[in-house]
Amino acid sequence: MAHPRSMNIDVVVIGGGGAGIAAGIEALDAGAQVLVVEKAAEPGGAAITSGGGCLIVGTPLQEKAGIKDTPDLAFDDWIKWGGGSADEAWARYYIEHSLHDLYHWAERNGAAWVDIKPQEGNSVQRWTRAQNSGHGLMTSLLASFKAKGGKLVADAAVTGITREGDRVTGVAAKTNAGEELDIAARTTLVATGGFNSNLDMIYEVRPELKSGRVLEGSGVGATGDGHKLLRALGAWFTHMDQIWFYPYCTPDYRDPAGRRGLAFRLVPGNIWVNQQGRRFHNEALSGGHSGSPALLAQNPRHAYAIADKPMLAGISISDPYYQTGEKAHRGRIEELLESSPFIHKANSLAELAGKIGVDRSAFLDTLARYNSACAKGLQNEPDFGKPLGASKQFDTPPYYAIQMFPLARKNFGGVKTDMRCRVLDKHFEPIKGLYAAGEVAGMAGGHVNGGAGLEGTMLGPSIFSGRVAGGWAAQEAGCGSGFVGRANRG
Ligand SMILES: Cc1cc2nc3c(=O)[nH]c(=O)nc-3n(C[C@H](O)[C@H](O)[C@H](O)COP(=O)(O)OP(=O)(O)OC[C@H]3O[C@@H](n4cnc5c(N)ncnc54)[C@H](O)[C@@H]3O)c2cc1C
């Protein structure tokens, strides 16, 4: 039998996504030898497919737009929105460090920040997007990691974390070609992302959801491997049931298992209609905070996004097959609109009602009321108060109905860590030599967001906690003096 190939390193990082690559850069800067093990053929994780938006406070972009923002204001918004269950220490740590230790740090590593956008729950605009979205941000960070001498083994999944006595000593991994790797490391850092691409794990923590369809929607590698590896070592998990769902999502008809979903955006003026043929929500509030609970409350638990042809002209699908950074692959989107059995098309609204099996008169009445509000030039439609600025009448066939199901996108709970990202056991004591960052740690510390996120509060804290973990993992490995950073308290 072939022996595993042995390797020896200061810091081994499991997972080459947002947190893992940031951790790698930080540990390299501290003088450590770093190896990232990534199970996909290409690194980047969910982060490289992401919108690239981070909540950042006090930026030059805000200043240019005349927006006054402070860490105190952002912290108030964060805690209110999180519904009381956010980790306050980690939230403040992230918010105060977001300017110098994320915005300017990413710039020093080759990224650029290009615009800001309003998001629900924020008093001011602070969702800050990287040039070419997550693709641009991660491509820059990966290039920097390589330039600093970071080593990466891709196409290799970590299958176990090794321990001698009470100390973690490295990892075992297996390449897709079947080769076994035995990696000894002074410190081990878990950055494997969330578990929202593993429906079984979703149902484990949210059994009540089994009564209807839920879609998998994180990066394809976010299957909870790290959670299992950590659980085997006695790590403590917290807030695992706090999953951030999005409503504007339809099944990925190309997935043979029928589990994955696709989030669609940029369909101005579309309305959501339930199986009874009625609207049930202000569609302008489409985020996880109120849009998802509204969809989850429907019986049966799905709805249809109704649009006419012009409304679909700029539709975007946030999935790497349909979108790379800022570039939408229009041909593939057209193919989806034509081929998905979950997207229905008809030449009249009455015909569309028949195709989706809703009550015809209720459906036509719903559309007529909405059209009439648009025709009258009302600022808000009367039923749910949706602002009509971006809306128009449904008047240009073909008409479409995109079937929507809740999609699990982000895990707000995860493994509990201290402020150095050391993984804690059930006694809330660090497991020696073991660190965790990013979504496996509820983005940072275990549950930095609480029950709801202001947006940009997943990628940003994942990258930041990656840096913190990388700095301290390097220090424990004998390199550097740990992460300090620069707070923005002025
Ligand atoms: C489409 C999409 C858009 C998003 N947009 C935004 C946004 O604009 N703003 C925001 O704040 N958040 C956004 N998010 C969420 C954000 O991208 C994630 O929270 C963030 O990337 C988490 O970083 P991470 O490093 O923990 O995980 P990831 O970036 O997912 O990286 C984890 C890596 O670990 C690897 N891995 C897993 N198991 C193993 C194993 N056993 N061995 C080796 N490697 C392994 C995976 O393959 C993956 O590459 C978005 C998510 C998605 C899916």
Side-chain angles (χ1 to χ4, degrees):
M1 207 175 82
H3 285 293
R5 178 152 61 101
S6 295
M7 300 165 92
N8 213 308
I9 201 85
D10 292 328
V11 180
V12 65
V13 179
I14 316 174
I21 295 304
I25 292 174
E26 195 65 26
L28 289 163
D29 283 346
Q33 299 276 335
V34 180
L35 173 70
V36 171
V37 184
E38 166 56 52
K39 75 173 172 182
E42 296 290 338
I48 204 166
T49 73
S50 77
C54 297
L55 179 144
I56 309 183
V57 179
T59 63
L61 285 172
Q62 286 178 314
E63 203 176 314
K64 202 167 147 204
I67 293 168
K68 175 133 187 56
D69 197 9
T70 64
D72 282 345
L73 182 62
F75 182 78
D76 280 353
D77 287 348
W78 188 300
I79 299 303
K80 271 187 211 136
W81 201 243
S85 65
D87 180 326
E88 296 178 352
W90 262 104
R92 186 163 278 281
Y93 190 31
Y94 169 70
I95 289 167
E96 289 188 351
H97 282 261
S98 61
L99 175 63
H100 296 295
D101 294 318
L102 176 56
Y103 189 99
H104 291 310
W105 172 84
E107 286 181 329
R108 288 197 299 278
N109 283 284
W113 301 98
V114 286
D115 46 39
I116 49 177
K117 216 176 95 172
Q119 295 282 6
E120 278 180 62
N122 291 278
S123 311
V124 299
Q125 291 189 27
R126 49 172 83 98
W127 188 90
T128 314
R129 191 176 65 87
Q131 189 166 47
N132 207 14
S133 307
H135 197 266
L137 178 61
M138 285 308 296
T139 307
S140 303
L141 296 185
L142 280 159
S144 176
F145 172 77
K146 275 185 201 151
K148 288 172 190 277
K151 298 186 180 71
L152 178 94
V153 178
D155 248 342
V158 168
T159 51
I161 296 177
T162 49
R163 180 148 68 166
E164 277 171 31
D166 62 354
R167 194 174 177 84
V168 164
T169 54
V171 304
K174 194 168 183 181
T175 69
N176 282 342
E179 187 188 13
E180 300 205 4
L181 307 176
D182 183 0
I183 301 162
R186 289 173 197 272
T187 52
T188 298
L189 199 158
V190 184
T192 45
F195 61 83
N196 281 331
S197 292
N198 182 337
L199 204 49
D200 302 328
M201 280 181 76
I202 296 170
Y203 286 149
E204 210 176 284
V205 295
R206 297 287 299 272
E208 82 283 5
L209 293 176
K210 284 185 191 165
S211 60
R213 191 167 188 172
V214 166
L215 303 172
E216 293 175 345
S218 187
V220 285
T223 49
D225 295 14
H227 299 75
K228 292 175 196 159
L229 295 167
L230 288 163
R231 199 168 281 144
L233 295 169
W236 185 252
F237 285 84
T238 187
H239 296 73
M240 289 288 278
D241 59 339
Q242 292 190 343
I243 293 178
W244 196 229
F245 287 95
Y246 287 129
Y248 39 81
C249 304
T250 192
D252 180 355
Y253 76 106
R254 297 173 62 251
D255 174 21
R259 288 179 160 220
R260 282 198 70 77
L262 303 168
F264 57 90
R265 289 197 181 84
L266 303 182
V267 189
N270 80 104
I271 58 170
W272 303 347
V273 167
N274 61 19
Q275 196 60 50
Q276 290 74 41
R278 300 278 179 205
R279 287 178 66 226
F280 54 90
H281 185 62
N282 169 0
E283 297 87 353
L285 302 177
S286 63
H289 186 64
S290 65
S292 301
L295 178 61
L296 283 159
Q298 299 312 301
N299 185 14
R301 208 173 60 206
H302 65 239
Y304 298 92
I306 309 297
D308 72 0
K309 191 174 165 54
M311 293 176 192
L312 286 174
I315 185 174
S316 83
I317 308 287
S318 68
D319 178 271
Y321 181 75
Y322 296 98
Q323 179 96 25
T324 308
E326 289 160 2
K327 184 175 167 33
H329 304 301
R330 285 281 151 219
R332 292 177 177 180
I333 295 177
E334 283 308 319
E335 194 181 288
L336 170 77
L337 292 175
E338 289 307 313
S339 316
S340 169
F342 303 98
I343 301 179
H344 306 269
K345 185 174 152 189
N347 283 323
S348 72
L349 290 167
E351 187 193 348
L352 193 64
K355 285 197 167 173
I356 59 178
V358 295
D359 181 288
R360 204 174 103 145
S361 68
F363 181 76
L364 294 178
D365 177 56
T366 300
L367 269 293
R369 274 182 72 76
Y370 191 85
N371 272 352
S372 140
C374 291
K376 284 182 195 150
L378 300 182
Q379 280 203 326
N380 298 73
E381 52 76 27
D383 295 325
F384 299 94
K386 176 183 169 184
L388 291 175
S391 291
K392 69 173 214 48
Q393 294 191 58
F394 289 80
D395 56 10
T396 312
Y399 300 100
Y400 290 83
I402 307 177
Q403 195 172 11
M404 301 159 56
F405 295 90
L407 173 138
R409 184 67 113 198
K410 292 147 185 174
N411 290 108
F412 281 170
V415 72
K416 182 90 185 137
T417 77
D418 65 6
M419 301 303 288
R420 293 184 176 190
C421 294
R422 292 182 294 185
V423 173
L424 302 181
D425 65 14
K426 68 178 177 188
H427 307 293
F428 291 83
E429 285 170 8
I431 299 174
K432 291 191 181 110
L434 187 62
Y435 293 76
E439 202 162 332
V440 70
M443 317 301 174
H447 59 115
V448 67
N449 280 280
L454 290 167
E455 297 301 340
T457 56
M458 302 90 185
L459 186 60
S462 290
I463 291 176
F464 175 67
S465 66
R467 285 197 65 196
V468 174
W472 289 111
Q475 190 257 4
E476 194 182 336
C479 305
S481 47
F483 182 84
V484 179
R486 182 174 161 203
N488 170 21
R489 294 187 176 169

